[in-house]
Amino acid sequence: MASADTIAAVATAPGRGGIGVVRISGHGLEALARTLLGKPLRPRLASLSNFLEHDGSVIDQGIALYFPAPHSFTGEDVLELQGHGGSAVMQRLLKRCLALGARLAEPGEFTRRAFLNDKLDLAQAESVADLIDAASEEAAKSAVRSLQGEFSLAVHGVVERLIELRMLVEACIDFPDEDVDFLQAADALGKLSHVQAQLNQLLAKAKQGSLLREGVHVVLVGQPNVGKSSLLNQLAGDEVAIVTAIAGTTRDTVREEIEIQGVPFHIIDTAGLRDTACEVEQIGIARTWAAVEKATLVLLLLDSREGITPQDEAILARLPPKLPVVQVFNKIDLLPRKAGIEQDAGVTRIFVSAKSGAGLDLLRQNLLQMGGWEQTGEGAFMARERHLRALEQARASLENAAENWLQLEFFAEELKLAQNALNSITGEFGADDLLGEIFSRFCIGK
Amino acid sequence: MLFPTQFDVIVVGGGHAGTEAALAAARMERKTLLLTHNIETLGQMSCNPAIGGIGKGHLVKEIDALGGAMAAATDEGGIQFRILNSSKGPAVRATRAQADRLLYKQAIRRRLENQPNLWLFQQAVDDFTLAGDQITGVVTQLGLHFEARAVVLTAGTFLAGLVHVGQSSYQAGRAGDPPAISLAHRLRELNLPSGRLKTGTPPRIDGRSLDYSVMTEQPGDDPAPVFSYLGSASQHPQQVSCWISYTNERTHDIIRNGLDRSPLYTGVIEGVGPRYCPSIEDKIMRFADKDTHQIFVEPEGLTTHEIYPNGISTSLPFDVQYALVRSMKGFENAHITRPGYAIEYDYFDPRGLKSSLETKSIKGLFFAGQINGTTGYEEAAAQGLLAGINAGLSAAEKEAWSPSRDQAYLGVMVDDLITRGVSEPYRMFTSRAEYRLLLREDNADLRLTEIGRELGVVDDERWARFSAKRDAVAQEKERLKSTWVNPRMVDIASAERVLGQAMEREYSLLDLLRRPQVGYQSLLTLPGAGEGVSDPQVAEQVEIQAKYQGYIERQQEEIERHHHYEALRLPPDMDYSRVHGLSIEVKQKLAQHKPETLGQAARISGVTPAAISLLLVYLKRMQGRMERKSA
């Protein structure tokens, strides 16, 4: 009863625990471990390892444990990676495992495999059943939760158009003797690019999952004396904050990255945005402006005692006009002023002290909220992660379809794969349903 | 009277399912009896005189790969052959032939009469004999009792058949034949779940009364395609054309004015008809915005003037039929030789069958063909073949066989039928196959002939031809893989002619053949390409395998991924009410349909992945208990 495929999941409870565990179970994990850790592992021996990205960069450092089959929890090869608990790190690590060939475990699947491989005794059987039952119910609930509202509408919109296109393609294949050329009559390629555009839009909108991957781009405006770095350090707090200054190709383009509750924030420092004749600098400045285009909000850092300076005003005037601005008044400890938040006319003012930490929680919440991050349980996030993967699979299949336009059976195959991917979000749409669509739309048959 | 000879397998019915079933069982050297109410109508095409088409042609090739008769008989009786979708890729290409009814029937009859181990007998079957839940034989109209441990029932539309023309209806099998009323009663007593379906035919017409000069000619392909792997175009009789005409607004007015006397629109007909083969009155009502419909004028044979106007199936009263036919271009003086009609008939819910087509409730009783809710000669014949094979296996107390969904359209069809049942007459379409790129007409032999040989349905001649082809394909692929050409050998002119561009480095011939624009024959003209194969079937196979390789590999990976538990067997007496955690709906569905494997269970609508997990856990527990008991 052995399963051939490898599964992976974050095994620790969601939240901001100090340690997070990604667990992987399957056959022949040695090779996966070697790629991921860059070194071979000895069975059942805790080993301090770097967890490596595909390009060799380090995702995290932690403890790796390898239990070869059958002496493991599931009875298969099991690899446990204990890293730092931030959800962003765990998600990156999980994603890396998926890229290495594992798939996301179904709810209760580790336990199920343990049971099927005789790792649990019969007395535990009923509880395993309960667990699968409960887990699938939980998964279903979270799927329903994340499927409410606009996201769901948008997915269904894409699916409907995809079905429409598939209907034409399949009718063309299965009913060549009809007197209409379904595809030519209906501009199939135009329809495909429409579906693609719609799907891309949807993917762009499906922010929640991609926030963790891509992070929030923030334009930082502020003079050097307002306490920028201490504030950023404070914001990152006790999270696995990696505060690094990544020097760009020129000395004046600086991007800083911090994490707030696992969400990466890319801070684009505008200090370098000034008029210059230096060619090298101009290149750097052009890059910074390009990054500004992607930004979701502006963080304006001020010294409470001074307020907005003319330099700040000049830069603000050049930013895209619709970007929401958060004005952060630092150094309130030097004034008789309490931490707090004021909002009016699209401008948010938050009063903080980087030194005392006052108001920083407010600021964190506000940044997360403005960045589009909604705090929900891990279960709901997993469901969304699944959805995003499905959407991305569908996107890849549609791209293949566009490339294979000239060979109709390949075109049809890719469209079907796209639909299969989306089926995992919207539910089964089988051959019978598709035929039903064809027959209700076209007068077919002799 | 008890018939003195005991048989291994009895086949009831001599249509497309019955004849393939009887031939298959007899090829397996089982003593086989074919019972039909009329030997003259063995192999009769009761609807339109055509074999094959998209999805259906695939089935015919599979029947052929397993040694069946349909493809070979079509090669002998076909009077117009075409490859449909010839401009599209190999996976969706399909062969279709118009057949001469008489020639086709003769070809089938000759095979039946000359098949060793096969007895023919003309008698209608009225009853079964049972010992407990095991079938033991059949009883005919005259009271003759024939004994066998395996019976294949292929009763077609004969079970309680009711023919409608306008407001009048009468009991019948198909036009001109008596219905099997007592058998239907007997089967109803057995309490097998059943339902009612409908199908129809158009009025037939004397071709001499038509004006072909105003219709569009549709000739067959030249050179004429061949159906059987062992066949050749030289077997084909004289080839003729089909013609195309159209309905018009006047036709539609005539039909609309006759609807108040249509059995379909006045609620007389209860059975469900196929959506893909609607009657002309259905087309006009459901697609009111379409002001014309295509009509194919198909010749019924070389020795008859009758034609089959494909596209105007109807059960309207005769006077309406008369007027509507004559309203069409070229049909102004048409003489109807037989009125069109609709027929309602009983079918048995195929969810009561195992994948071997044996009924779950009666051991040794197999159902094949239209009785299972399908439509079409090809669908019937393919089921007949499978039921015949399994009746043969069962008579020898061997384990049943059925192809999987990734192995054959036959497998797709049977799995669809037994897991999902039918809501309208089931017809094959390529879109039903998940692995369409693997299930092609061109490789049906590579998919099935080896298994057919093991089952005993493939004879020595076919086996020799197949083995030679299989080996030649492998050899030529190996040669292409190990033959390298480089820019020094291939001049730029040749490269541009064959590849469309200059060669930038060394390639194997197989790599070059994978390119979409490079054909096998033109590849061979490259300097250094060497001597290729001359057998067109081998060349075609080599080329397709090269072009499809990426997709084939991907589909095969998908098959492996999806099929961990596919074949895990569920005990037939499993008590689903005791499976912890299953919803009541799922419990009921599983208890009702009794899937044979976990894979089948997963395809029953409403059975969730979580339910499958729970079943796995339960099975494991049961297994543990059994082991402890026996320890």
Side-chain angles (χ1 to χ4, degrees), chain A residues 334-349:
Chain A
L334 300 176
L335 287 175
R337 176 150 196 142
K338 276 189 177 174
I341 184 165
E342 288 173 8
Q343 279 171 316
D344 72 287
V347 179
T348 306
R349 293 185 193 86

Side-chain angles (χ1 to χ4, degrees), chain B residues 416-532:
Chain B
D416 279 350
L417 290 173
I418 66 171
T419 60
R420 295 175 179 273
V422 296
S423 52
E424 68 180 325
Y426 180 96
R427 182 189 143 176
M428 186 44 76
F429 298 104
T430 67
S431 47
R432 296 195 193 274
E434 299 84 336
Y435 307 111
R436 178 160 65 191
L437 300 179
L438 297 182
L439 307 184
R440 308 185 304 273
E441 269 200 9
D442 64 78
N443 70 351
D445 53 347
L446 294 167
R447 291 184 273 121
L448 295 170
T449 299
E450 282 182 52
I451 302 159
R453 181 69 175 177
E454 279 164 37
L455 292 165
V457 288
V458 167
D459 65 15
D460 293 344
E461 188 203 345
R462 181 179 296 273
W463 180 242
R465 289 271 291 271
F466 167 76
S467 306
K469 175 183 167 186
R470 180 195 54 196
D471 298 347
V473 170
Q475 222 169 18
E476 178 63 0
K477 267 181 78 181
E478 196 48 50
R479 188 188 78 84
L480 295 181
K481 203 167 142 190
S482 57
T483 306
W484 295 77
V485 289
N486 59 50
R488 273 172 291 114
M489 297 158 66
V490 181
D491 55 290
I492 293 181
S494 300
E496 281 183 346
R497 177 174 49 80
V498 176
L499 311 172
Q501 62 190 66
M503 280 177 76
E504 63 279 20
R505 60 174 178 87
E506 192 177 46
Y507 287 101
S508 79
L509 290 177
L510 198 63
D511 284 338
L512 294 176
L513 189 56
R514 287 205 183 107
R515 299 184 179 181
Q517 73 278 14
V518 179
Y520 178 76
Q521 294 305 340
S522 98
L523 180 72
L524 289 181
T525 65
L526 270 189
E531 194 74 17

Side-chain angles (χ1 to χ4, degrees), chain A residues 204-441:
Chain A
K205 274 190 194 163
K207 247 189 186 169
Q208 290 300 297
S210 66
L211 265 187
L212 284 169
R213 211 178 13 234
E214 314 284 350
V216 183
H217 292 264
V218 178
V219 181
L220 180 66
V221 181
Q223 300 311 307
N225 54 356
V226 296
K228 217 158 51 184
S229 49
S230 59
L231 184 79
L232 291 182
N233 270 319
Q234 278 280 14
L235 273 180
D238 53 4
E239 188 70 23
V240 205
I242 313 153
V243 182
T244 44
I246 304 163
T249 45
T250 76
R251 52 209 142 96
D252 286 318
T253 316
V254 173
R255 272 175 52 169
E256 307 214 15
E257 312 215 358
I258 62 166
E259 283 189 24
I260 300 176
Q261 289 185 16
V263 180
F265 280 76
H266 309 291
I267 316 283
I268 305 150
D269 198 336
T270 57
L273 290 179
R274 56 196 169 101
D275 295 326
T276 174
C278 168
E279 205 177 312
V280 180
E281 253 183 63
Q282 275 175 352
I283 295 170
I285 288 167
R287 287 201 185 146
T288 305
W289 279 116
V292 168
E293 290 296 312
K294 286 203 287 183
T296 35
L297 67 116
V298 179
L299 191 60
L300 174 59
L301 225 59
L302 304 163
D303 187 324
S304 299
R305 295 166 302 179
E306 290 174 21
I308 301 182
T309 65
Q311 291 97 318
D312 293 332
E313 297 274 17
I315 289 183
L316 283 178
R318 292 179 59 182
L319 294 175
K322 280 185 183 167
L323 274 185
V325 178
V326 182
Q327 298 182 357
V328 179
F329 291 84
N330 193 15
K331 305 190 185 179
I332 53 167
D333 49 308
L334 300 176
L335 287 175
R337 176 150 196 142
K338 276 189 177 174
I341 184 165
E342 288 173 8
Q343 279 171 316
D344 72 287
V347 179
T348 306
R349 293 185 193 86
I350 302 177
F351 298 89
V352 304
S353 163
K355 197 170 172 189
S356 72
L360 285 180
D361 267 341
L362 264 179
L363 178 56
R364 277 193 203 101
Q365 292 316 315
N366 190 260
L367 287 177
L368 284 169
Q369 186 202 328
M370 304 269 289
W373 177 246
E374 290 162 25
Q375 270 161 310
T376 39
E378 187 80 357
F381 169 70
M382 293 302 279
R384 276 199 300 271
E385 180 60 25
R386 225 181 281 277
H387 294 158
L388 272 176
R389 291 187 66 78
L391 292 174
E392 268 158 19
Q393 265 173 24
R395 174 160 70 179
S397 295
L398 292 181
E399 273 165 22
N400 289 340
E403 277 170 33
N404 282 297
W405 156 243
L406 284 174
Q407 277 167 292
L408 195 61
E409 74 274 34
F410 294 157
F411 186 68
E413 175 74 11
E414 297 293 353
L415 294 183
K416 187 188 78 189
L417 291 175
Q419 169 123 49
N420 285 352
L422 295 176
N423 277 352
S424 63
I425 305 179
T426 58
E428 184 73 10
F429 186 88
D432 256 340
D433 304 310
L434 187 67
L435 286 166
E437 291 286 325
I438 293 176
F439 300 138
S440 64
R441 256 298 282 286

Side-chain angles (χ1 to χ4, degrees), chain B residues 45-49 99-105 204 300 308:
Chain B
M45 287 189 276
S46 48
C47 192
N48 69 321
D100 176 300
R101 275 180 205 289
L102 289 176
L103 291 176
Y104 184 85
K105 221 161 72 171
R204 312 293 166 84
E300 295 243 342
Y308 188 98

Side-chain angles (χ1 to χ4, degrees), chain B residues 326-392:
Chain B
R326 289 195 161 210
S327 71
M328 297 189 303
K329 210 171 166 189
F331 282 68
E332 292 80 0
N333 299 308
H335 171 62
I336 295 178
T337 52
R338 312 177 203 202
Y341 63 89
I343 180 165
E344 284 186 284
Y345 55 96
D346 280 1
Y347 78 99
F348 290 97
D349 185 343
R351 285 174 294 192
L353 301 175
K354 301 179 186 176
S355 59
S356 60
L357 298 180
E358 186 178 20
T359 57
K360 285 173 184 164
S361 48
I362 300 172
K363 277 188 202 137
L365 178 61
F366 295 80
F367 284 176
Q370 230 162 347
I371 186 174
N372 292 335
T374 62
T375 171
Y377 311 143
E378 304 83 353
E379 286 83 352
Q383 289 173 65
L385 178 75
L386 181 64
I389 287 172
N390 282 313

